[in-house]
Amino acid sequence: MKRLQDFTFYVMMLGSLMLVNGCVLQDHKIQTPMRLSPSQGPPFASGLKAPIGITDDPKGNIWVTEAGTGTSNNGQVTVITPSGMAYPAITGFASSISPENSPEGLTHLLYMNGQLYILHGVEGKLYVVDITSFNPGTSAPIVASSLTGMDIGTFVKNAHPNAPDDKLSNPYNLTFGPNGDLFIVDAGANAIVRRDKTNGALSIYAVLPDVANPTSPMVGPPTLDAVPTGIAYDGSDFLVTTLTGFPFPTGHAHIYKVSGSGSAPSTPTLYRSGFSALTDLVFSPGGQLLVTEFGFGSAGRIASGEDAAVALYAPAITPVDILLSKTSPDTYYVLHYGPGLITKFTAQ
Ligand SMILES: [Ca+2]
Ligand SMILES: [Ca+2]
């Protein structure tokens, strides 16, 4: 079971977005995209090593986590300027090889007020890095060993929200929520972890339930771990995408809603279903969800998170993060894990 859960770790990815910032800074014309049209020409960025997450700053730079090769500690955060020039920003994060022979290490990251909040799934740590004085192309890369990560994993394993399964932690994706606290989905513990803005105290905010395995008893266990991959906050509730564990049955991945005002543990309610291997979500300017599906048994997609039947772009090769630009109207960026690239889309 450990191996199966480890396998799910590397395929899960991403993130959340500053809905409020995205809305107020830009004059988006397309409130609810019906289609995403890819930019012509080469991809916005390529050559990324096992990339997992993207975020953007108010200057239009895209910051991306790369898990690395797993053969040396070459996990890193790369920054890509609006013109598409890529520079290493933080280098030398631990990168290891999972039992399934894929690189693992850094997971998602999030920009807020001059700082990057960066998760490392294998270390179970949160890094907070001030980048206000970092100039892409001229600043020397920050060395990861100079940073002090905050331990998340030990708390999560001790809290053991996924009991009776093994104690696991894989801090995977994050968003800011009520009181400005940070909310982290842990893909190993199947839980939402709250980190107090003021004193850094950690608590379990919600637990994502197992789902019945439609292929049991032929393939896999009777129930599957939810494996949360993305989290977004709309000002009152959280929306959470789930990968759904091995064997990743087509059409059985859910989006959950978790109240932002409930007392912990807040009980997730089913928001939408019928998806496959969800990896991320983002709100459109009109408040509608867009989601990414990794593509196991079926092709990967960018789809409406309100209706699983509505594809916005397909096939998409192993998409793991979707971002609504803070600076360019009607522009979405999508990160592709397998081919290591970022594509730019215009909403239509
Ligand atoms: Ca995202
Ligand atoms: Ca379970």
Side-chain angles (χ1 to χ4, degrees), residues 14-17 54 280-282 321-323:
L14 190 296
S16 52
L17 151 109
I54 47 176
D280 194 28
L281 76 174
V282 70
D321 198 336
I322 182 167
L323 172 72

Side-chain angles (χ1 to χ4, degrees), residues 13-18 52-55 108-110 173-174 229-232 279-283 290 292 320-324 333:
M13 335 287 147
L14 190 296
S16 52
L17 151 109
M18 295 291 88
I52 306 291
I54 47 176
T55 190
H108 287 267
L109 81 174
L110 183 60
N173 211 333
L174 66 174
T229 49
I231 181 168
T279 52
D280 194 28
L281 76 174
V282 70
F283 288 109
L290 280 64
T292 49
V320 291
D321 198 336
I322 182 167
L323 172 72
L324 173 62
Y333 293 92

Side-chain angles (χ1 to χ4, degrees), residues 83-142:
S83 62
M85 296 295 292
Y87 302 98
I90 312 173
T91 58
F93 282 104
S95 176
S96 53
I97 292 288
S98 73
E100 289 71 30
N101 210 31
S102 57
E104 59 183 2
L106 288 174
T107 50
H108 287 267
L109 81 174
L110 183 60
Y111 173 92
M112 177 63 101
N113 293 339
Q115 299 193 299
L116 288 178
Y117 293 76
I118 306 163
L119 294 173
H120 197 293
V122 175
E123 294 180 342
K125 286 183 178 174
L126 167 69
Y127 292 88
V128 183
V129 183
D130 190 320
I131 52 157
T132 48
S133 61
F134 189 92
N135 294 308
T138 57
S139 296
I142 298 164

Side-chain angles (χ1 to χ4, degrees), residues 7 56 69 151 265 291:
F7 177 65
D56 66 347
T69 60
D151 187 359
V291 297

Side-chain angles (χ1 to χ4, degrees), residues 294-317:
F294 191 77
F296 283 114
S298 51
R301 296 190 307 163
I302 306 167
S304 165
E306 310 299 332
D307 181 352
V310 178
L312 303 179
Y313 181 78
I317 303 171

